[in-house]
Amino acid sequence: MDLVPALEEPLKKVLGPPTAKVMAEHLGLHTVGDLLHHYPRRYEERGQLTHLADLPMDEHVTVVAMVADARLHTFASAKAPRGKGQRLEVTITDGNGRLQLVFFGNGVHKPHKELLPGTRALFAGKVSVFNRRLQLAHPAYELLRGDSEETVETWAGALIPIYPATAKLESWKIGKAIQTVLPSAQEAVDPLPDSLREGRGLVSLPEALLKIHRPHTKADIDDARSRLKWDEAFVLQIALARRRHADAQLPAVPRRPKPDGLLSAFDDRLPFTLTEGQQKVSKEIFDDLATEHPMHRLLQGEVGSGKTMVALRAMLATVDAGGQAALLAPTEVLAQQHHRSIVEMMGELAEGGMLGGSEHATKVVLLTGSMGTAARRQALLDLVTGDAGIVIGTHALIEDKVQFLDLGLVVVDEQHRFGVEQRDALRGKGKQPPHLLVMTATPIPRTVAMTVFGDLETSVLDQLPAGRSPIASHVVPAADKPHFLARAWERVREEVENGHQGYVVCPRIGDDEDDPKKARKSAEDEAEKRPPLAVLEVADQLTKGPLKGLRVEVLHGRMHPDDKDAVMRRFAAGETHVLVATTVIEVGVNVPNATAMVIMDADRFGVSQLHQLRGRVGRGSAAGLCLLVTEMPEASAARQRLNAVASTLDGFELSRIDLEQRREGDVLGQAQSGARTSLKVLAVIEDEEVIAEAREEAVAVVEADPDLKNLPALRTALDALLDEEREQYLEKG
């Protein structure tokens, strides 16, 4: 173990303070070991060209291409009023696509001399759209001449590694830094047990690091990647297996429903039968609730597959067994909506202690941050005395003042909206750990469930209840075909004339607080895109223009909670024709009469988010319509993403597409843990087999040696992966 320090050497000592500072701030790399684990994103072969057509918008890219032509233009601007401003436009090609580079002002002289037609180079910059064409403004570049000593050395290998880079540090500079520290790779301590490595024919860790950074052949890259994938999958699955092992030791109160209690009374009053899926998943949950260890279950189901019904039955079973159940919702709008629909579904069963309440009845209370003092005091009293069997609330439920008589089940709606600490604080309110059911409408492929929610058992609801209608989705290319957008507003009017309602969703609110910096833009900035469309502006334009005469209201997150609730009530009651909103309507809003949705600047939303939003229409017997409005050019990745959403209603298929596009960087909930959690070589979708096998191996290792006493190198790797914050993240996940 004495060898580790070589990899713990701070980069400041090895590369010098300026480079180390950029690496720490922009790439999160602090030590030699961090840098060695910063793997190439891909490799370019000398003589092979990149596909310029596939460049992602708004990302830093590195391409190898040839200069096709270069033109110097002069223009007048605020800085150079006499027409002395200079702009160099260089077109580069990869043999198929073309891409424009622009340089301004004093920055034109060097590239004007060096980027002559026929020159090959590496170009790095941020892809933007200007005049509906893709371009790189002020890219950095490195000529591929191969004449000076250093260039020959650096580019000697036939394969050029292209590293994930930033505007401040180009790929080739990262490559040079890695060459400096590469000798230390020999001292990397191998976390995989020897038997596992030999049994699977994997190369050693030092060899893998050498081959991934300086491959001589494609086989070298394959060897290195197979090995490094195993490291990531195995160490992660060890962490999850230890988590499950620890959970299995915790005590919990078994909660079995009474034979003729609240649950059977509720089932008797249901006007419909549960789908097969709902019955199957309910059985899995009831089996878990009956055990003496806390349930940790993830319930995932398509938008509208009836998850709330399944969760409600689990809550009623818990109340039957003498416990209390809490449902945690991410927003007040959603908490109020859940409360309304649960009270409606339960009828007199929700009127415990009141006249007209059934003998099995319990109280269902709502607890949110904006409630009046008297209502809040009563709700807190009902919880501490046990009069309220079910409480529905926002994170207000987590405050210290909230006490339960006997908390038996916690249901978390829309897992990804909650910070880890919040879930944990609520679980801490039980006398013994309560059972936990996590619900999500974002479909999660099996491998991701094994990776991200690896400490939860998974139940899937994949049938839609009877009576749900299909949703037609179309992309509206507003820039190429403005008449399509005009037609979109006509379709919204037609839906309203037929007695239905519609949503218009925008990425931004549009009040002063979220206005993009109102800075003057220089010529260099002219390539920047316009700010995203805003609710307040769009609502104003619609009421004066295409939707004139219809009742249009706005809804966004910065409104007062009472105003939000009033707007939602009017919309639910059919008094408002069109609701112009931000993504506050993304989860749980249920208005069966709403049939049309127009999503403005749809390219600004993720695939899963668009799928969630779309699930707000088509909830009744009439067919739904979802129009995705974008100004992105046809060839862009953003348009392909929207075409994918329009082409299928299968959330699992879309979540695969979403993951493939996001490269799984944030699969482990980086936003939630704040730690360096990204998977580097493990592709959660493609590497299903590796993950499943690593899970089996990890379970065997942890059963034999839960504290990893006999595997010190694995323990070290685990500590590195799970620095403090991360360990807590997984514990609380």
Side-chain angles (χ1 to χ4, degrees), residues 467-472 495 498-501 591-596 616-625:
R468 278 304 173 91
S469 305
I471 305 170
E495 290 297 313
N498 290 332
H500 297 299
Q501 294 157 277
V591 180
N593 190 43
T595 52
R616 301 302 111 213
V617 294
R619 299 176 78 86
S621 51
L625 172 70

Side-chain angles (χ1 to χ4, degrees), residues 21-30 38 164-166 169 174 676:
K21 185 168 185 252
V22 176
M23 286 195 169
E25 285 175 8
H26 294 274
L27 297 168
L29 308 175
H30 303 276
H38 187 72
T166 76
L169 202 62
I174 296 172
R676 295 198 314 274

Side-chain angles (χ1 to χ4, degrees), residues 358-484:
S358 138
E359 54 165 328
H360 299 299
T362 185
K363 246 189 188 180
V364 180
V365 301
L366 176 70
L367 189 64
T368 63
S370 65
M371 282 168 72
T373 320
R376 188 180 169 79
R377 192 177 293 130
Q378 184 58 52
L380 291 171
L381 187 66
D382 288 340
L383 288 180
V384 77
T385 59
D387 286 350
I390 294 179
V391 58
I392 295 148
T394 53
H395 40 87
L397 279 178
I398 296 163
E399 292 168 13
D400 295 343
K401 291 198 282 289
V402 182
Q403 306 269 313
F404 292 83
L405 180 67
D406 180 13
L407 180 60
L409 170 67
V410 174
V411 181
V412 179
D413 191 16
E414 286 309 321
Q415 149 87 13
H416 61 285
R417 298 298 191 86
F418 281 102
V420 181
E421 292 71 27
Q422 296 171 313
R423 286 198 303 275
D424 208 46
L426 188 54
R427 273 170 58 182
K429 289 187 179 289
K431 296 196 172 57
Q432 283 196 334
H435 298 282
L436 175 70
L437 179 65
V438 170
M439 299 197 291
T440 176
T442 310
I444 302 166
R446 188 178 87 99
T447 40
V448 183
M450 281 197 302
T451 314
V452 185
F453 299 109
D455 55 344
L456 299 173
E457 299 299 323
T458 306
S459 296
V460 180
L461 272 177
D462 45 14
Q463 297 167 286
L464 288 188
R468 278 304 173 91
S469 305
I471 305 170
S473 307
H474 303 284
V475 177
V476 178
D480 314 347
K481 300 179 178 163
H483 59 285
F484 275 37

